[in-house]
Amino acid sequence: MPRQTDFVSFLSEPDLLQRMLVACPDGVIATDKDHRIILFTGASEAIFGFSPVEVMHHDLGTLFASAQGYELVVERLHNESTVANLQVQAVRKDASPFAAAVSAAAMTDRYGEYLGIIAYIRDYTAVQGIEDALRDNNAELNRLVSELDHVAKQDHLTGMLHRGSAMEAAKEALIACALGGQSFGVVLFDLDLFKSINDSYGHLMGDEVLRDLSGVLRQATRGADIIGRFGGEEFIAFLPGAELPAVKAFAERVRVAIEKSLVRIGDDATISATISAGVAAIPSCAATLPEAISIADNRLYAAKRAGRNCVIDSDTEFARSAA
């Protein structure tokens, strides 16, 4: 290790600056106060493809792919005196643009008089390629995670939300409705005599009937509505912002559509199905989501006892059907 006096002597060598510039892997460019190039190192030549004589006393802006990039560097220097790793588009001798990272500082003399710019240019192409690849990979990963999350929330047979996911979505929607002073509707649907469909036509045909009902439900809902498979042949619909009469009207539309729908079995035969529904709303019928679901469930079974293929939305109808 050299003594301190040796190191001081080394620093005072007249060709030290030249040695440092040659060793620097970044392109080093200096300008006068009019931004004309007065220093263009070998690394700069390798990066840009210009020889020093080709750019000497030319405007620094000729090395940038756009006036905006050059002006951004000058503006930052004017406002902050330094620029650190600013990414811009530079241009090579063959006119091909490339990603560059620019670090620069404004040079002044001991009296603060502006002398020009000293800039360090790094070819950022390879780094940008890696960053772009990482960004693409992250985007693909996010897409896959989102897709897996979507699949995890869905019932595989009908494509609807499964019970847990529908409930979570309903809880969030209910909070928004409560904050906005809006009603929140709940409908429970159940396919009538579904066991007899399975027994008569087989479970595969029963699955087709369930898919048919899910398609009718999707067509009947609005964008903000939440529908899910509640279990077996039961389906649930949450209708943010819907008052009880609107909720019943929705359930009735679905009931009629299911009644008219035919599921094909074979070339010529079809089967039909009907549904029953129980309706409730918050706050007109219940104060909480579990309470509203319970009321809708009770009314659903009242509809079953009333002869099926109907919608019940009040406890009066419930009591009458039970009588």
Side-chain angles (χ1 to χ4, degrees), residues 13-306:
E13 289 185 17
D15 62 346
L16 173 61
L17 176 60
Q18 183 177 355
R19 291 183 184 181
M20 294 175 66
L21 291 175
V22 169
C24 181
D26 296 338
V28 182
I29 302 171
T31 76
D32 61 17
K33 62 181 180 180
D34 296 318
H35 299 167
R36 292 188 297 265
I37 297 171
I38 57 175
L39 174 68
F40 195 77
T41 63
S44 303
E45 184 176 353
I47 291 171
F48 288 93
F50 291 104
S51 65
V53 295
E54 291 177 299
V55 296
M56 202 64 67
H57 304 299
H58 285 260
D59 191 271
L60 179 62
T62 58
L63 300 178
F64 289 78
S66 69
Q68 291 88 345
Y70 172 58
E71 289 169 359
L72 180 59
V73 172
V74 173
E75 181 183 357
R76 290 279 184 90
L77 287 173
H78 177 74
N79 294 332
E80 304 170 22
S81 297
T82 60
V83 171
N85 288 317
L86 179 64
Q87 295 180 35
V88 297
Q89 286 287 304
V91 64
R92 304 187 201 277
K93 182 179 178 179
D94 63 5
S96 62
F98 68 97
V102 178
S103 296
M107 296 185 296
T108 59
D109 62 16
R110 69 179 66 185
Y111 304 107
E113 186 73 21
Y114 179 70
L115 298 177
I117 296 171
I118 181 74
Y120 300 85
I121 312 292
R122 178 170 298 174
D123 188 341
Y124 206 70
T125 306
V127 176
Q128 187 177 60
I130 294 171
E131 288 180 347
D132 290 343
L134 287 173
R135 187 161 44 248
D136 291 342
N137 289 339
N138 286 337
E140 178 63 12
L141 179 61
N142 289 335
R143 185 192 68 79
L144 290 173
V145 169
S146 178
E147 185 175 317
L148 288 172
D149 182 62
H150 181 66
V151 170
K153 290 179 178 179
Q154 282 187 319
D155 169 62
H156 73 279
L157 176 62
T158 63
M160 288 185 170
L161 293 174
H162 60 59
R163 180 172 180 159
S165 297
M167 290 293 294
E168 287 301 314
K171 290 174 184 176
E172 294 181 7
L174 178 58
I175 291 172
C177 284
L179 292 174
Q182 294 180 304
S183 183
F184 189 85
V186 178
V187 187
L188 267 172
F189 295 99
D190 186 85
L191 275 166
D192 297 327
L193 303 174
F194 184 65
K195 184 178 184 300
S196 66
I197 294 175
N198 280 334
D199 291 343
S200 301
Y201 302 101
H203 289 277
L204 292 178
M205 189 51 57
D207 289 348
E208 287 299 319
V209 173
L210 290 174
R211 278 191 283 264
D212 185 63
L213 171 57
S214 67
V216 171
L217 276 169
R218 272 191 286 268
Q219 291 178 359
T221 53
R222 308 161 299 169
D225 297 337
I226 302 160
I227 53 174
R229 188 177 181 189
F230 207 58
E233 63 271 24
E234 282 192 333
F235 294 82
I236 195 162
F238 300 106
L239 311 179
E243 301 284 349
L244 189 62
V247 181
K248 182 178 182 181
F250 163 82
E252 186 64 24
R253 287 196 304 274
V254 173
R255 185 196 67 78
V256 171
I258 289 293
E259 187 178 32
K260 293 180 177 179
S261 179
L262 297 175
V263 179
R264 183 170 296 280
I265 51 172
D267 294 333
D268 302 316
T270 58
I271 61 173
S272 61
T274 62
I275 59 166
S276 300
V279 172
I282 301 171
S284 59
C285 302
T288 65
L289 188 60
E291 185 183 357
I293 294 172
S294 178
I295 291 171
D297 191 44
N298 288 334
R299 291 174 178 176
L300 166 62
Y301 283 97
K304 296 284 189 181
R305 289 192 294 270

